[in-house]
Amino acid sequence: MSLAFGDVGVLQVQTSTIDFRKFLMSETRDTVILGSGCSGLTAAIYTARAGLKPLVLEGHEPGGQLSITTLVENFPGWPEGIQGPELIDNMRKQAQRFGAEFQTAHLNAADLHAHPFRLSTSIGEIHTRTLIVSSGASARWLGLESEQKLIGHGVSSCATCDGFFFRGLEIAVVGGGDSAMEEALFLTRFATKVTILHRREHFRASKIMLDRAIAHPQIELRTNVIIEEVLGVEEKEVKGVRLKNVANGEEEILPVSGVFLGIGHEPNAKMFHGQIDLDSDGYILTQNNVFTTRNGIVVPGVYASGDVQDRRYRQAITAAGTGCMAALEVEKFLEEHGR
Ligand code: NAP
C-alpha cells in the first residue's frame, strides 16, 4: 500500500502507527542528518544524490572524530593513507556538490512521537519527514576534579589539536586502546618522552598499534596505574600526575607537563532519551544496523548510523557503511510514502 504525503490518513507501518496529516507542511524537510562526521557525510552524499536536499546539522565537533585524527591507513582506496581532516573535507565537498545543505546548530530536544518530527535546535525549530542520527561519540574524561580544572591548561583529549604546545616537554597519555597508542605515537613528534598509563595489565589496542608504541624509543608503557590527581591546579598548568599502582597500592608522582586522555568516547544521544531506545551506556539501539526503536518497536523514518549506535566496530568505514544504509532507508521510506 502506498500513501502520498498529501493524503489525509493513518498508515500502518510495521507495528507502529503514523498519522500523515502533518506531512502537509510545506517547510518540512525530506531529511535531516544530525552530525557531520564520516557517517553523517556519507548519508548526506547518498541522500543529496537522490535529490532529497538533506539538511546536515553540525554541532561543536564538525567533521567528527576523523577531523581530529591524523593518518588514516585503513580506509579503502588510499594505499598510502589519508589525513583524517582531508578525508572529511573531501566527503563534505562531495555532499555539497549534490546539494547537501550544512548548518551549525545544537539539538536541544527532539519530538519523534508525531510526524513531521520536530527538532528544537539553537537555530529554531526544524520539521522533517525523516531523521538520520549520526551524532557520533565524544571523548571521555576521567572525571577527576583536578583534571576538569586543567582542561586547556595541559589536559587535553585531542593530540592533533594540542600536541604542538608540548614541544620539548614530557607528557602522559591515559588509556590502553588504539586511541591511546595513536595519540602517544603522534605526540612523539613534539614531546621528548611520552608515558602511556594504563589501568590494567593487558592492552586493548590492536597488535600493530601496540607493537609500534612498544618499539618507539620515546614511549614508555606503564601498566596497572591510575591517575588519582592531576597536579598544578593552583599554578593553572599541569605539573605532574599522582599515580597509584593498583597492583600493590604504591603511590608516586610522575612529573609531566601534559596529560592526554585516550580512554574512549561517550555516545551523543542523551537528547533522544525517551524518544528512541538507548542501551545502558547511552548508545542508540538499532535493528538491522540502522532502524531505531521505541520500546522495541521500529520507529519509521528515524535511523541511526555510525558511532552513536555502534559500540562494536567504531571504524570510519563501518560508520560510512551505516550512513549509506540509513540514507537508502530514508529514500525507500519516502518513496514508499509517495515522495
Ligand atoms: P577503547 O578501545 O574502548 O579503549 C579505551 C581504553 O581506555 C581502554 O584501554 C580502557 O581500559 C581505558 N579506559 C576507559 N575508561 C577509563 C578510565 N576511566 N580510566 C582509565 N582508563 C580507562 O577506545 P579507543 O581506543 O578510543 O578505540 C575505539 C575504537 O576505535 C576501537 O575499535 C579502535 O580499534 C578504533 N581506533 C582505531 C584506530 C586506528 O586503527 N588507527 C585509532 C583509534 C581508534 P580497559 O582496557 O581497562 O577497559
Side-chain angles (χ1 to χ4, degrees), residues 16 50 64 70 73 77 85 89 93 106 116 153 188 192 213 237 246 253 264 287 315 317-318 325:
S16 265
T70 50
E73 291 181 309
D89 197 42
K93 284 183 184 141
H106 179 77
H153 301 277
T188 57
T192 48
E237 64 175 22
V246 290
I253 304 284
Q287 289 183 10
Q315 300 299 301
I317 189 66
T318 50
M325 291 160 78

Side-chain angles (χ1 to χ4, degrees), residues 65 69-74 140-143 174-183 197-206 208-209 212 225-227 261-265 283 307 310-316:
Q65 290 177 56
T69 195
T70 50
L71 193 63
V72 180
E73 291 181 309
N74 50 11
R140 193 182 285 148
W141 301 94
L142 294 173
V174 189
D178 281 335
S179 291
M181 301 307 131
E182 190 179 58
E183 288 204 358
L197 305 171
H198 182 38
R199 64 182 176 183
R200 286 191 299 140
E201 183 67 33
H202 299 288
F203 287 91
R204 194 180 287 271
S206 56
I208 184 167
M209 298 291 281
R212 278 183 200 168
V225 285
I226 57 168
I227 295 182
L261 282 303
I263 61 172
H265 295 83
Y283 285 86
D307 285 12
D310 172 20
R311 54 188 305 139
R312 187 175 177 86
Y313 301 105
R314 297 182 289 185
Q315 300 299 301

